[in-house]
Amino acid sequence: MKNYLSDFFKMKESEATFKGEFFAGLIGFFTVVYIVAVNSLILSEAGIPLEAAIIATILTSVVGCFLMGFLGNVPILLVPGMGINALFSYTIVQSMGLSWQEALAVVFVSGLLFMLIAFTKLAAIVSKAIPSSLKESLTVGLGLFLMLIGLEKGGIVEKGSNSIIALGSFSDLHVLATVITLIISIILFLRNVKGNFLITILVGTLISWMFGLIEPGSTGESVQLKDYWNVFGSMSFENIISIPFWIAVFSLSMVLVFENIGLVSSHVQYVGKSERFKRAFQANSISVLLSGVFGSSPTVATVESTASMTAGGKTGLTSITTALLFICSAFFIPVIKMIPNSAIAPILIIIGGLMLQNIRHLDLKDMSESFPSIFIIAMIPFTYSIADGMAIGFILYPILKIALGKAKEVSLPLYFISSLFLINFVLQYTH
């Protein structure tokens, strides 16, 4: 059995070990498990019962990670995406007026379109059409975004009344616990201590407990399967011919396809397995389709996957390990919720810092290449939206090339993609 798994996941070729893959999957799980609580709460804002939303989030994460592990064979974690879930609840449901059942149908149709691209030559065409400068800047922008999320989770920075980022109070015990944990985590990381991220989580949790920030007695919400069966497969296609439905499909598909092209591409490059992009992207598309069936907002190749990779994850066995742990999480939701943000935030900050190093690959001498990239890097964290940050850079790129007489440097597919982003902006802000 062990030899079969080794051959199936090509572990010798990847110089991977079972122990290393399990450990990396464990790290990835603890880094991304917060999505169970956060995504469930956001889905409940769309009207999905909280208990059902918890189960839907867990099942979607389990299936997504299994698909990526077995089909893609890369250590990428597919879980409901932050930002995408906000688009689902606050835009598609609350702003556009669709019911949560119709919103799930939007996810399903978007998944079909995603699969059409992933399982045809369109994926290669789209991927080749995107300049390396835009791909690299996406990684850098995501790094900044991840650092911002980590700093916010740790209370080191916070949003003011006018959404202005301000420095948090260092007299706050939560902030102090984060800072102490961050210093320890950086030292462990720089000294290349094995399992440094897991040690960070354990130490950070212990520090928060010593500061009286953890209440072990809290039980959390009960989870009952009977509530979930009212959500599973509850997609509604009654208004499929309506304009709002297809505006929602268009907006969601745009974000999903181009965000995941960038994410999957950067992740497979990170582990040196660029040849596995196609299968990983296909696994991603199937997972999106099934998200609508399971009753959740769509999955994405989460940024936190880098935690598993940095911890040594090299094959799909890492993702499968995380999937199995997500199954177990259904029985330990109260315990998982005890892990404080101050223990997770330092890991996100370090990972974000590592991703920022990709900025050295940008050609800063050619402003027609670097300026759109700089806008992507800046606008992703400033707008708090991966999709909007991407769109601004993709729209600006062909405009600058045309203005400088370099229109031929832009491929026809990229002109089309940029036009779609522009149309999406117009529809999104004028509807």
Side-chain angles (χ1 to χ4, degrees):
M1 180 65 177
K2 190 173 182 179
N3 290 334
Y4 173 77
L5 290 175
S6 180
D7 293 338
F8 181 85
F9 291 107
K10 301 179 180 179
M11 295 184 69
K12 286 186 178 180
E13 175 189 311
S14 301
E15 298 181 351
T17 63
F18 285 98
K19 182 179 179 181
E21 294 299 286
F22 171 79
F23 196 76
L26 182 67
I27 292 297
F29 171 74
F30 279 114
T31 305
V32 81
V33 71
Y34 72 87
I35 200 67
V36 174
V38 177
N39 192 63
S40 302
L41 289 172
I42 293 177
L43 291 179
S44 69
E45 292 289 316
I48 298 176
L50 180 60
E51 292 78 9
I54 292 174
I55 298 177
T57 301
I58 291 174
L59 285 178
T60 304
S61 301
V62 168
V63 173
C65 290
F66 270 137
L67 281 168
M68 186 58 75
F70 285 113
L71 182 59
N73 193 21
V74 284
I76 296 176
L77 310 181
L78 290 180
V79 303
M82 293 298 296
I84 299 288
N85 49 17
L87 175 63
F88 177 93
S89 293
Y90 304 126
T91 302
I92 295 177
V93 175
Q94 294 186 8
S95 296
M96 301 181 68
L98 275 67
S99 66
W100 62 263
Q101 292 91 340
E102 291 169 338
L104 291 177
V106 168
V107 173
F108 184 83
V109 174
S110 297
L112 284 175
L113 296 176
F114 195 164
M115 288 181 66
L116 176 64
I117 293 174
F119 282 88
T120 63
K121 294 181 179 180
L122 287 173
I125 293 172
V126 171
S127 182
K128 290 179 181 178
I130 301 174
S132 60
S133 60
L134 295 182
K135 290 180 181 178
E136 296 291 353
S137 62
L138 177 60
T139 301
V140 178
L142 289 172
L144 274 178
F145 190 53
L146 198 58
M147 289 190 76
L148 177 59
I149 292 174
L151 291 168
E152 285 186 348
K153 278 184 171 294
I156 297 175
V157 300
E158 55 188 25
K159 288 184 179 180
S161 57
N162 295 319
S163 296
I164 297 175
I165 299 297
L167 194 64
S169 172
F170 282 77
S171 61
D172 188 316
L173 288 178
H174 171 65
V175 177
L176 186 59
T178 302
V179 172
I180 294 174
T181 307
L182 177 60
I183 293 172
I184 294 173
S185 66
I186 292 175
I187 293 173
L188 291 172
F189 180 78
L190 293 179
R191 292 185 65 87
N192 200 27
V193 176
K194 288 188 176 180
N196 55 80
F197 284 151
L198 183 57
I199 295 172
T200 295
I201 291 171
L202 295 175
V203 171
T205 302
L206 178 62
I207 291 172
S208 290
W209 175 77
M210 292 173 62
F211 284 2
L213 299 173
I214 297 177
E215 298 179 7
S218 59
T219 57
E221 298 86 357
S222 60
V223 180
Q224 300 181 17
L225 281 174
K226 65 179 182 180
D227 297 309
Y228 176 66
W229 294 123
N230 294 324
V231 174
F232 178 81
S234 294
M235 301 167 291
S236 173
F237 296 93
E238 289 184 7
N239 292 320
I240 193 170
I241 60 173
S242 68
I243 293 177
F245 184 92
W246 285 102
I247 289 177
V249 168
F250 177 78
S251 300
L252 188 60
S253 299
M254 289 281 289
V255 173
L256 283 170
V257 171
F258 295 115
E259 179 178 340
N260 282 295
I261 280 180
L263 287 167
V264 175
S265 177
S266 63
H267 286 328
V268 295
Q269 287 179 22
Y270 191 90
V271 292
K273 299 295 179 182
S274 297
E275 71 279 1
R276 297 181 185 174
F277 169 81
K278 183 178 180 180
R279 292 180 67 85
F281 196 55
Q282 290 173 346
N284 197 167
S285 68
I286 298 172
S287 179
V288 169
L289 177 79
L290 294 177
S291 296
V293 178
F294 286 119
S296 173
S297 53
T299 54
V300 301
T302 178
V303 178
E304 288 89 346
S305 300
T306 318
S308 295
M309 299 172 190
T310 307
K314 298 176 181 178
T315 73
L317 200 55
T318 293
S319 304
I320 291 170
T321 299
T322 301
L324 293 173
L325 291 171
F326 263 116
I327 295 175
C328 298
S329 71
F331 304 98
F332 298 99
I333 290 174
V335 177
I336 293 170
K337 291 175 68 176
M338 283 173 55
I339 298 173
N341 284 335
S342 60
I344 297 297
I347 296 175
L348 301 180
I349 294 169
I350 291 175
I351 294 169
L354 290 173
M355 295 175 72
L356 284 175
Q357 296 181 63
N358 279 45
I359 199 169
R360 68 181 184 273
H361 298 145
L362 295 179
D363 181 8
L364 298 178
K365 295 179 181 179
D366 185 349
M367 293 301 289
S368 65
E369 292 283 337
S370 64
F371 221 65
S373 300
I374 291 170
F375 262 87
I376 289 177
I377 293 169
M379 296 305 288
I380 286 178
F382 286 167
T383 62
Y384 217 81
S385 170
I386 296 171
D388 288 347
M390 283 177 60
I392 292 169
F394 273 73
I395 293 170
L396 187 60
Y397 187 89
I399 291 175
L400 294 184
K401 289 294 185 181
I402 293 171
L404 295 176
K406 299 179 179 180
K408 292 183 179 180
E409 293 184 11
V410 183
S411 64
L412 287 176
L414 185 56
Y415 277 119
F416 179 69
I417 292 169
S418 301
S419 299
L420 290 178
F421 270 118
L422 182 59
I423 293 170
N424 183 50
F425 257 150
V426 173
L427 291 175
Q428 183 178 345
Y429 292 106
T430 60
H431 178 263

